Structure formats: structure tokens, C-alpha cells
Amino acid sequence: MTSFRGRLWSRLEAVCRFMPVIVNTVLVVSITGEVMYLVMVEAPLEPEQKERDWAPLWKGVHLASQIFMFGNILWNASLFLRTSPSIRGVFLEGSAVGQGWRYCYACETHIPPRCSHCYDCKVCVLRKDHHCVFFGQCVGFKNYRYFLSCLLFMWAGLLYAVVLNVEVFIIILKEGITPHSVLLLLMPWIMLITGQVTARAFAFAFVADTCVVGCLCVSAFLFFHVALMLRGQTTREWYSNQRPYSLGWRRNILECLGERWYVAWLCPLIPSPFPGDGIHFLVTAPPSGVRSDNVNSGKN
């Protein structure tokens, strides 16, 4: 019985680990499909505008933009999940153990500065930023570029979707601000369950609401991580209010996005090698607990 429960719990844990990825994929596909439908069929409201503002050329431009953003989101997310930021496969024992190195009793090895153990991934992560619950994986040295690029294109796609879904909000509020329109905007599920709206109206209202909420949430995450990147900080270092690894905004970007940082964000297939190895870092200020005479200056 114990072994059966253990196997059952292990399977449930594996399913729950991939559930956020599945939910996010469904939402991205749904929003992209709804926006494409708005461009091809519904938009705009007035028939004369269809001929004037939504000619086939403009529809092609809109569709190409959506496909570009959608492809970048999925590609960056895929590379993020396939790129392990952990110490597995990284030769650490030959490295000179110096200031800032610690011993991880869970992994039974010495780990370099900015490396930390993740109890969800059950391994130490190089330059650990945080464990992303939406992807079910840690954000670290090797996959930070893909994480940030995915956030960027998710934000651009959601902002684009919000602009196009303005038409949906106009249709809902065309009758005025009534209890029916307000409830449809704020609680579309209740309106569907009680039979107040059709499934089609519910789908449009739900996706439009998801676009607005998602855009606000992703905006907060994106701007926060861009600020961290410019400051040369990880989320963990931001919590402790430390900036010992800041080398100036240009070098900080290069450390996160690689040598071709100025174009690397356009496509995840553009090669952009990192200047470091995720083990050794230049410092410009002594981290907490480290004497200032042991700090190597590396500011440009």
C-alpha cells in the first residue's frame, strides 16, 4: 500500500509540475486564435471601415506580426525549458574554491557565488534568480536570456491583443453601463452558468478579460526583470538589497543576454555567447560577509 501511494504521489507531482506549462500554452494559443479571428472576420465594427482600414495588405501585416510574436513566445519557452540552469554537467571540483563559495549538503558539493539550491528542482542552480512557477523550472545563468525574451514577446502580444479587443469592450458596453454588461466584463463565468449569455459572447469576454489581466501581470514581471538586469542583480540579491556584481548597464545587459545582446532578443536562434561561465563573476563591491580587501574590481 505504501509503495502504491508513493507511485501515485510521484505521478501526481509530475502532472502538477507540467500543469502550469499546459495552462499557459492553452492561454497563449487561445488568445492568438481569438486575435486572428478578430483581424480576419470581426474587425472593425463598421462595414465601411473594413474596406478602408482593413484591406488584405493590412490584414497580412497584422497576421505576420501575430505569427512572429507567437513563434517567439513558443520558441523561447521551449528553449527555456530545454536549457537546464543547474550545476549538473558543470565541472566544479576543479575550480578554485574561494570567497563566496559554500557547501551544499543536499548536492554534497561546493557551490560558487550566486549559486543556490532549489528544493523544487532538487538541484543547485548557477546564478539562480528564482524558481518560476509558471514554467515549473528555475531561472538561472544559462536560460535567463530565453526567460526574458519570452516575457518581452508575451508582453508585446498581450498589449497588441488588448488594443484589438477594445472592439469587444465597445460591443459589450454599447448598451451602456448596465448590470448585465458589468457582470459580463467582470464575471463572465457566472453569466454563462446562469444562461445570461451565449457561449460565443462568454468566450470573447473571457479572452478579452484575460488579455487585460495578463498584460498587467506580465508588464510588472517584465519591467521588474529589466530593472534587475540593468542593475546587475538577481531577485535573491534584490531581496537582500545587494549590488556587488553591477558592472554598468551595458555590461550588465551583456552578462544576461550575451555578446550580441542588441539583436539576441529578436530571435532565440541568434547565437549570443555569454562572456562568463556562471561560476566566476567580477565584483565592484564586497558582498555581505566578505572583506573589501578580497574583492576584485571589475567595473568598466
Side-chain angles (χ1 to χ4, degrees), residues 91-208:
F91 189 64
L92 296 175
E93 295 301 329
S95 302
V97 178
Q99 285 287 353
W101 284 67
R102 293 172 291 111
Y103 188 81
C104 177
Y105 290 94
C107 295
E108 297 181 344
T109 184
H110 287 91
I111 57 175
R114 312 184 87 179
C115 183
S116 181
H117 189 82
C118 177
Y119 291 95
D120 293 305
C121 298
K122 298 179 176 61
V123 69
C124 284
V125 177
L126 292 174
R127 193 188 177 274
K128 180 182 177 181
D129 188 272
H130 69 286
H131 181 86
C132 182
V133 295
F134 298 106
F135 286 106
Q137 180 169 285
C138 274
V139 180
F141 174 74
K142 294 181 180 179
N143 61 4
Y144 191 81
R145 167 195 170 182
Y146 305 125
F147 170 77
L148 199 61
S149 297
C150 188
L151 274 182
L152 173 65
F153 283 101
M154 286 181 67
W155 171 77
L158 285 168
L159 183 63
Y160 178 81
V162 168
V163 172
L164 287 186
N165 272 282
V166 168
E167 302 257 355
V168 175
F169 294 118
I170 291 174
I171 293 174
I172 294 175
L173 296 175
K174 200 169 186 178
E175 63 184 36
I177 302 178
T178 63
H180 181 274
S181 62
V182 172
L183 285 175
L184 181 57
L185 284 175
L186 299 180
M187 293 177 285
W189 280 102
I190 294 179
M191 299 295 286
L192 178 67
I193 294 173
T194 56
Q196 300 296 314
V197 295
T198 63
R200 183 173 181 273
F202 160 77
F204 276 108
F206 177 75
V207 172

Side-chain angles (χ1 to χ4, degrees), residues 45-81:
L45 288 175
E46 303 300 332
E48 59 271 13
Q49 287 182 298
K50 288 180 182 283
E51 301 177 0
R52 185 177 70 249
D53 299 333
W54 288 78
L57 175 62
W58 283 109
K59 286 187 178 182
V61 171
H62 279 282
L63 290 178
S65 302
Q66 293 168 44
I67 293 172
F68 176 72
M69 289 184 287
F70 180 70
N72 267 285
I73 291 171
L74 293 187
W75 219 322
N76 278 292
S78 174
L79 289 175
F80 171 81
L81 292 173

